[in-house]
Amino acid sequence: MKPNDLTFDRALVEKYDRPGPRYTSYPTAPRFNAAFALDDYRDAVKRSNAEASPKPLSVYIHIPFCKSLCYYCACNKIITHKTEKAVEYLDYLKGEIAMQAEMFDTSRKLTQLHLGGGTPTYLTNDQMAELMNALDAAFTLERGAQREFSLEVDPRTVSPQQLRELHALGFNRLSLGVQDFDPDVQQAVNRTQSEQQIQDLIETAREVGFESISFDLIYGLPLQTVESFTTTLDKVVSMRPDRVATYSYAHLPDTFRAQRLIRPEDMPPPERKLELLELTIGHLQAAGYVYIGMDHFALPDDELTRARDNGTLQRNFQGYSTHADCDLIGLGVSAIAKVGDTYSQNAKVLSEYYAALDKGQLPIQRGYRLNADDHLRRDVIHQLMCHGRVDFAEIEAAHDIRFRDYFADALAGLDELMADDLVSINGDALVLHPQGQLMMRNVAMAFDAYIVADSKERRFSRTV
């Protein structure tokens, strides 16, 4: 399958657009539980350090603060103008960094760093420097070509000069939260930013040498029309970011209080979202962008596209990646980690996060250790999400099973998708078809042993 093979069939999209996990992990977050304790995490780190070739390290840091509320947002965030809160949070972060670093072998390089939020650029550049110095003192940071240090940027909070300083601190990748250029849409979701602000940041980022620039867009927002979003896409294409992530807005005002501030009469009809999705796919592909998978597009010469072509694409909690599998350390309130055969998550409430660190304990509140069946199914879902196919022989060799026997029920569950020509079994491989690319989450759900139980416990976003 070529990476740009993606077709949009309105009838099939409507048929299969149903709730389902995004599979940034398997098992997914509903499986995490409080029975997973600090000792389980420490044991996972010890096993990881003891491997013949320990994995490199990746760090995710959650900065929860925002100065203003974006009405669409469903992230773990704290809206405040009290900048002293960031000073306190940074002190706790530095303590957590030191505690985590003590556990990991110093020979293991930290090759990936991602700051998310909230708004990472809520921190001043002096505070960001303090954070980077703490990481540098605690871990062995990658200095060469494998270094991938990124942060999410709210364009309203950063000047071109600040961007230069962030690059000097070692960041080499940016993700800009654009969402939509239309002024009426921006006002409807309380996120007003000018096209010129974005353009100035793009020019500065390229001038100082950021290696990758990504735009985040959201379709399905209030007041969006095909005409208005066409204009937004035209502006995106003219700025030529290396990557574009296009997210479907999930309007769940009963779950997320901020979304109740959106006027119901401003919400587009359900069919509009499909029109916008079809528009986005056609527009970006016509402009030369390649569909990577799961909402992500990249330019033909981007390393994500090359990884998709040569079969080395990876997927983790931050999305798609070109790096080999790392052990992921989660820092900050609500941050998720993946170390060895475990997942774990920090306290989601700031006071509980602080309370654990005040006791000299890591703020891990829940987690999960994978069993053999979990490992097997995770590999199947990973192949599907990253390569658009599952090689039976490869899975059989890695897990000592007969694929068709072990997954007889899962394969039977694909009958309807195969009848609709979304996927097929070609020899000894399960292969996604061009019209099945948008429904890869539906295919993955057939191999999810927990999907029925998890769907009762959690309301997932829709699969398309």
Side-chain angles (χ1 to χ4, degrees), residues 9-18 274 416-417 419-420 422 439 442 462:
D9 185 307
R10 174 74 64 84
L12 289 174
V13 168
E14 289 178 341
K15 178 178 179 179
Y16 288 101
D17 185 23
R18 60 189 65 159
L274 294 182
E416 187 176 8
L417 290 98
D420 285 331
L422 302 182
M439 278 70 86
N442 301 74
R462 301 189 75 82

Side-chain angles (χ1 to χ4, degrees), residues 299-367:
L299 291 173
D301 59 351
D302 187 87
E303 60 183 351
L304 275 185
T305 305
R306 295 198 299 271
R308 173 80 178 188
D309 284 343
N310 63 28
T312 59
L313 192 66
Q314 302 286 324
R315 184 164 171 77
N316 55 35
F317 285 106
Q318 278 75 60
Y320 286 104
S321 171
T322 60
H323 279 244
D325 190 25
C326 297
D327 276 335
L328 170 65
I329 302 168
L331 300 170
V333 64
S334 78
I336 294 178
K338 182 182 81 71
V339 176
D341 58 355
T342 70
Y343 298 115
S344 55
Q345 184 172 27
N346 281 352
K348 294 182 179 181
V349 178
L350 193 61
S351 60
E352 296 175 1
Y353 171 77
Y354 286 164
L357 290 167
D358 282 338
K359 295 176 184 176
Q361 297 177 353
L362 288 174
I364 294 170
Q365 271 197 348
R366 63 183 193 142

Side-chain angles (χ1 to χ4, degrees), residues 264-276:
E265 60 268 29
D266 289 343
M267 286 301 298
E271 62 271 16
R272 177 77 48 75
K273 185 182 282 190
L274 294 182
E275 293 171 354
L276 296 173

Side-chain angles (χ1 to χ4, degrees), residues 228-278:
S228 72
F229 207 59
T230 298
T231 302
T232 286
L233 291 169
D234 284 339
K235 292 176 179 179
V236 169
V237 167
S238 70
M239 294 183 186
R240 212 67 178 164
D242 302 283
R243 302 173 186 178
V244 180
T246 59
Y247 298 110
S248 170
Y249 171 57
H251 190 58
L252 302 170
D254 291 339
T255 304
F256 303 109
R257 184 179 301 177
Q259 296 182 358
R260 299 172 200 169
L261 298 171
I262 294 175
R263 299 196 312 169
E265 60 268 29
D266 289 343
M267 286 301 298
E271 62 271 16
R272 177 77 48 75
K273 185 182 282 190
L274 294 182
E275 293 171 354
L276 296 173
L277 173 59
E278 184 174 13

Side-chain angles (χ1 to χ4, degrees), residues 174-287:
L174 287 179
S175 176
L176 294 173
V178 174
Q179 323 312 359
D180 195 311
F181 280 114
D182 187 87
D184 292 336
V185 175
Q186 291 182 357
Q187 187 170 358
V189 297
N190 197 40
R191 189 186 175 97
T192 303
Q193 57 197 21
S194 72
E195 180 183 347
Q196 192 60 51
Q197 282 177 295
I198 309 290
Q199 186 65 56
D200 290 347
L201 292 177
I202 285 280
E203 291 174 1
T204 300
R206 288 182 172 139
E207 174 193 329
V208 301
F210 276 91
E211 295 174 18
S212 179
I213 302 168
S214 176
F215 279 10
D216 287 351
L217 302 178
I218 301 177
Y219 63 92
L221 290 175
L223 300 181
Q224 280 181 339
T225 65
V226 170
E227 182 180 7
S228 72
F229 207 59
T230 298
T231 302
T232 286
L233 291 169
D234 284 339
K235 292 176 179 179
V236 169
V237 167
S238 70
M239 294 183 186
R240 212 67 178 164
D242 302 283
R243 302 173 186 178
V244 180
T246 59
Y247 298 110
S248 170
Y249 171 57
H251 190 58
L252 302 170
D254 291 339
T255 304
F256 303 109
R257 184 179 301 177
Q259 296 182 358
R260 299 172 200 169
L261 298 171
I262 294 175
R263 299 196 312 169
E265 60 268 29
D266 289 343
M267 286 301 298
E271 62 271 16
R272 177 77 48 75
K273 185 182 282 190
L274 294 182
E275 293 171 354
L276 296 173
L277 173 59
E278 184 174 13
L279 168 72
T280 300
I281 292 168
H283 214 89
L284 291 177
Q285 288 190 329

Side-chain angles (χ1 to χ4, degrees), residues 120-158:
T121 45
Y122 185 94
L123 299 182
T124 66
N125 277 16
D126 285 343
Q127 290 170 333
M128 199 71 79
E130 193 176 340
L131 177 60
M132 293 300 290
N133 287 337
L135 288 168
D136 195 13
F139 293 100
T140 305
L141 303 189
E142 172 66 54
R143 309 287 182 186
Q146 290 298 306
R147 181 186 180 105
E148 189 175 290
F149 285 15
S150 65
L151 77 164
E152 299 169 8
V153 171
D154 179 344
R156 302 170 300 172
T157 65
V158 176

Side-chain angles (χ1 to χ4, degrees), residues 108-126:
R108 303 176 68 177
K109 285 189 175 181
L110 198 165
T111 60
Q112 289 181 302
L113 171 67
H114 184 79
L115 271 62
T119 306
T121 45
Y122 185 94
L123 299 182
T124 66
N125 277 16
D126 285 343

